[in-house]
Amino acid sequence: MVLRIFGLSGLVTVISLVAAFLYGGPTALFLCLILGILEVSLSFDNAVINATVLRRMSEFWQKIFLTIGILIAVFGMRLLFPLAIIWVTAGLNPIEAFDLALNPPPGDAAYFPADDPNRPGQASYETLITDAHPQIAAFGGLFLALLFLNFIFTEREITWLSWIERPLARAGKLDMLSVVVAGIALVLAAEFLADDENRATVLLAGLLGMITYIAVDGLGSMFHTEEFEENLDEAGREIEGKPVNTGPSDLAKATGKAGFFLFLYLEVLDASFSFDGVIGAFAITADPIIIALGLGLIGAMFVRSITVYLVRQGTLSDYVYLEHGAHWAIGALATILLVSIGVHVNEIITGLVGVAFIGAAFWSSIRRNRRAAAAETGDERATTPVA
């Protein structure tokens, strides 16, 4: 099972590293490997969230996401997205932006020399991407913030950090509280973190991030029936004697609308998770080929494999706090993105925060399962109640 799921990712990794070596020698190979590790470390929480949504989709739409969706993730976000940023912010078309990326200024200069006959004084590809970071961070930060807030403001039978999750869930009974909190965060970030030149664009980008989340999440929920999910316990397991359908409704399967909107939701979600990785990659290299090989092929393929493994193995049902940990990691990532509008945050910190939340949730799930097993066997030492 493990070899079948991760075998393709391993093969793609080898091919990508060979391609990087042929493209730029040992340096390119090393940079490609570093970017792949960076993407996996930053996106592990992404894989957990993908799995929670993917298991609600029909087999057909699961295959669509794991094939076409991955191609969009690889070539769309990791290659075309940076080019689109240059197109919008600098007025260069994608072909000109790609040429600019492949032909950086001499040395470590941020601009071409003023006497350059082709690009006198033009900013480098990396500089243009970095200049667009506040808008990107605002859009991605608000999208992910709403995802986190909608989860944490919902009452659940099982809680992980109960001392804070239960009070927040009670507060979530106030209608639209997540939108209010996200809106306040956006205003504060624009006021105190964005400079005067970027304040308006940060507000607009953040507002678009909120609108995108509300629209895509709303469309996905429109065709999703609650009838069968009521027959699942909090861990996603079937309640004995009750029918269960963890995918879209029969009508949705026939029309494909539920699957399509969940697919769209996952693509926007992946894009939001990718912002920090794409921006962080430019701290390592501005070469779009190496970024596409490292972030796209190696990183995205391993995230795909981890997602498939979680779904096929039923890991989220066995380790019930993983979803909680992933959402807390999302909340941390959203905060980091908003803070990064005005303060540089090292990519290592971003990656470690996500891994720390996932690891802690995984360990808490193991301890919970041990207590439950001990209680079932009548172990007198199992006195601690299960959350």
Side-chain angles (χ1 to χ4, degrees):
M1 168 71 81
V2 174
L3 181 61
R4 187 168 71 249
I5 292 176
F6 287 92
L8 180 59
S9 297
L11 178 61
V12 169
T13 297
V14 173
I15 294 174
S16 298
L17 292 176
V18 171
F21 180 80
L22 295 175
Y23 172 72
T27 301
L29 185 151
F30 177 72
L31 293 175
C32 183
L33 181 61
I34 292 298
L35 288 175
I37 296 172
L38 172 69
E39 178 69 359
V40 173
S41 66
L42 290 175
S43 299
F44 193 83
D45 47 356
N46 187 9
V48 176
I49 297 300
N50 282 350
T52 64
V53 178
L54 203 63
R55 63 181 179 172
R56 292 163 48 194
M57 300 167 70
S58 67
E59 185 177 351
F60 170 79
W61 280 106
Q62 286 185 9
K63 290 180 179 178
I64 290 293
F65 174 73
L66 295 173
T67 52
I68 297 175
I70 294 301
L71 290 176
I72 294 174
V74 171
F75 296 104
M77 283 307 301
R78 277 74 175 183
L79 181 60
L80 299 181
F81 172 68
L83 299 177
I85 293 175
I86 303 301
W87 179 28
V88 173
T89 60
L92 299 178
N93 64 49
I95 295 177
E96 292 173 333
F98 191 71
D99 177 60
L100 179 63
L102 292 178
N103 298 282
D108 297 324
Y111 293 85
F112 286 88
D115 58 354
D116 188 300
N118 298 314
R119 297 190 177 100
Q122 185 181 53
S124 69
Y125 181 77
E126 180 180 0
T127 299
L128 291 172
I129 288 287
T130 303
D131 289 344
H133 175 74
Q135 300 94 295
I136 298 170
F139 181 94
L142 266 297
F143 185 94
L144 294 177
L146 278 177
L147 175 61
F148 165 70
L149 292 170
N150 278 337
F151 178 86
I152 211 65
F153 285 147
T154 300
E155 284 193 307
R156 301 176 187 280
E157 180 182 346
I158 295 177
T159 54
W160 177 38
L161 305 177
S162 301
W163 59 276
I164 187 171
E165 289 184 7
R166 286 175 178 167
L168 288 175
R170 288 194 292 270
K173 293 179 180 179
L174 178 63
D175 245 0
M176 305 301 290
L177 180 60
S178 59
V179 176
V180 172
V181 173
I184 292 173
L186 173 60
V187 171
L188 292 176
E191 180 65 27
F192 297 105
L193 295 173
D195 54 35
D196 294 338
E197 183 181 351
N198 288 318
R199 185 166 293 124
T201 54
V202 163
L203 284 170
L204 177 59
L207 182 60
L208 289 175
M210 294 174 65
I211 292 173
T212 301
Y213 176 85
I214 293 170
V216 175
D217 182 61
L219 288 172
S221 302
M222 184 184 301
F223 296 95
H224 180 68
T225 58
E226 301 293 336
E227 173 185 356
F228 293 102
E229 283 203 349
E230 291 174 356
N231 299 333
L232 296 174
D233 63 18
E234 183 67 19
R237 291 185 289 261
E238 179 179 352
I239 299 175
E240 186 177 354
K242 293 188 177 183
V244 173
N245 174 15
T246 56
S249 66
D250 292 336
L251 175 62
K253 287 180 180 178
T255 63
K257 291 179 180 178
F260 171 75
F261 287 124
L262 285 176
F263 170 79
L264 183 62
Y265 175 79
L266 280 174
E267 287 303 316
V268 178
L269 185 62
D270 178 76
S272 298
F273 271 107
S274 301
F275 289 151
D276 60 322
V278 172
I279 297 300
F282 285 94
I284 300 172
T285 178
D287 192 312
I289 302 300
I290 298 177
I291 290 176
L293 290 172
L295 288 190
L297 289 176
I298 297 177
M301 286 302 297
F302 265 101
V303 171
R304 172 194 181 277
S305 293
I306 295 171
T307 300
V308 173
Y309 181 82
L310 293 173
V311 174
R312 299 287 184 263
Q313 293 292 103
T315 306
L316 297 179
S317 297
D318 295 332
Y319 302 97
V320 295
Y321 296 139
L322 273 182
E323 186 177 0
H324 296 257
H327 279 88
W328 278 103
I330 289 171
L333 176 57
T335 302
I336 289 172
L337 280 172
L338 291 177
V339 169
S340 70
I341 292 174
V343 180
H344 174 71
V345 180
N346 191 288
E347 290 74 27
I348 295 177
I349 295 176
T350 306
L352 289 179
V353 167
V355 171
F357 274 114
I358 296 293
F362 181 70
W363 175 243
S364 296
S365 299
I366 292 176
R367 293 180 60 195
R368 178 184 187 276
N369 293 343
R370 286 176 179 172
R371 291 197 301 267
E376 288 179 2
T377 57
D379 191 332
E380 293 182 356
R381 292 174 297 175
T383 57
T384 305
V386 177

